[in-house]
Amino acid sequence: SAQLAAAGVVLAESADELPASDDYLAWQAASVAGRRDVLRTHSPWPAVAHWPTVSVLLSTHRPERLAHALAMVRRQNYPHLQVIVVLHGNEEDVAHFAPSVREALDGWDGEWAIIGMPAERTLGHALAAASARADGELLTKMDDDDYYASSHIWDLVLARMYSGAQIVGKALDWVYLTAADTTVFRPTYPAERFAKFVAGGTMLISAGDLAQVGGWRPVPKSVDRALLDRVLDAGGLVYRAHGLGYVYVRNAADGSANTSQVNEDHFLTKTVAQFPGLLKSEALGTTSVGEER
């Protein structure tokens, strides 16, 4: 049964215990949860080495989203976690909002640090500074407006363990479109395979591999694509895991501030399912336990 669960097979004693045939989220959640538990308890990694330390790189130039972003970090149940918060703006903004970071992380078990980054510097510069300050063996990028479930980082670490890839990340399956106020399930990128693209807000790489390819490029946009290209050009591997536990938020109102060049209408095509509003689910990270609708 452990081998079946590790392959993503949903196990149940009777058909009555299985999700409804058209409940895509429930099927995905059941498959991923069983697979995650088996990989954590039966894989050889913890018997021969410790689970690696992970540093979250969180850069924002939108202070109003700090509370949300740090709540996503705090909910992670992965041990050995650190967050490096980069406040990207002028000196007055950094000085003003640094206390908000300290307050939001007060009492958190993980380690954390705050870095100020001048507004004229690029996102690539901000991520490079965060990586230089980070102590984790692995580095992962989290965006300030997206949603992350509590086991999101566990999923990335496990994917790196069984794939051996230099970069791992998640598929872009779940998207919340703010203008349309709609959540879409759009599994257009096959998961659990080597690929050339992963969701930028989920990328994980070791500090050593990042240094070997020259780090983050000092560009204002497409910084994720630039790192993927650097790794691929160097002969490295990129692995795309399942998309559960991550919701990409497409803020049409951000305009040029959003690093994506894709129009929001694009995400309304090729959908398997659409849900009004932000779909609330613990498995997606969009709500807390007991609040799911």
Side-chain angles (χ1 to χ4, degrees):
S1 61
Q3 291 179 327
L4 290 173
V9 177
V10 178
L11 304 177
E13 293 185 1
S14 69
D16 294 337
E17 298 179 3
L18 295 174
S21 59
D22 60 347
D23 193 339
Y24 306 106
L25 178 55
W27 275 102
Q28 193 177 34
S31 173
V32 169
R35 190 164 178 261
R36 183 190 300 128
D37 290 344
V38 167
L39 289 172
R40 285 171 56 177
T41 56
H42 294 287
S43 64
W45 186 288
V48 298
H50 68 275
W51 291 109
T53 54
V54 177
S55 292
V56 175
L57 313 180
L58 176 60
S59 175
T60 183
H61 63 275
R62 300 174 286 199
E64 70 277 7
R65 295 184 182 168
L66 268 174
H68 167 82
L70 294 174
M72 294 298 104
V73 173
R74 288 195 65 143
R75 79 188 307 168
Q76 297 303 308
N77 56 25
Y78 185 80
H80 324 304
L81 197 62
Q82 176 192 51
V83 60
I84 308 298
V85 181
V86 183
L87 299 178
H88 201 172
N90 59 50
E91 292 184 11
E92 292 77 13
D93 287 340
V94 171
H96 179 71
F97 289 102
S100 300
V101 176
R102 298 186 181 95
E103 181 179 356
L105 294 175
D106 183 47
W108 184 51
D109 292 336
E111 299 179 2
W112 54 273
I114 305 173
I115 296 176
M117 180 62 54
E120 63 270 17
R121 304 290 275 177
T122 68
L123 176 59
H125 287 119
L127 292 173
S131 300
R133 174 61 182 81
D135 298 322
E137 299 164 76
L138 304 178
L139 310 174
T140 189
K141 180 172 171 283
M142 290 178 69
D143 288 345
D144 62 6
D145 51 359
D146 296 337
Y147 288 87
Y148 299 84
S150 58
S151 294
H152 166 73
I153 290 179
W154 262 118
D155 292 339
L156 297 178
V157 172
L158 291 170
R160 185 177 186 274
M161 175 192 71
Y162 59 72
S163 71
Q166 281 64 49
I167 288 181
V168 299
K170 289 193 171 182
L172 195 63
D173 287 350
W174 296 91
V175 183
Y176 173 58
L177 306 171
T178 59
D181 192 23
T182 300
T183 303
V184 300
F185 178 50
R186 190 175 181 273
T188 56
Y189 300 99
E192 300 301 340
R193 64 178 60 191
F194 294 99
K196 295 184 178 180
F197 166 79
V198 297
T202 70
M203 290 169 55
L204 178 141
I205 187 172
S206 75
D209 287 334
L210 179 66
Q212 191 170 8
V213 297
W216 303 93
R217 289 189 60 196
V219 293
K221 295 184 179 182
S222 302
V223 65
D224 307 321
R225 181 69 260 170
L227 181 59
L228 288 169
D229 288 342
R230 280 190 163 185
V231 169
L232 292 168
D233 290 346
L237 297 173
V238 174
Y239 188 84
R240 184 166 58 229
H242 64 82
L244 190 70
Y246 172 68
V247 177
Y248 170 57
V249 176
R250 185 69 171 92
N251 289 293
D254 286 347
S256 60
N258 194 302
T259 58
S260 173
Q261 301 299 309
V262 179
N263 187 283
E264 184 175 275
D265 291 342
H266 167 78
F267 294 103
L268 291 170
T269 64
K270 301 179 182 179
T271 62
V272 172
Q274 297 187 20
F275 307 87
L278 176 64
L279 179 62
K280 298 296 185 70
S281 169
E282 182 186 354
L284 294 176
T286 50
T287 190
S288 301
V289 177
E291 295 180 342
E292 186 169 342
R293 71 183 185 193

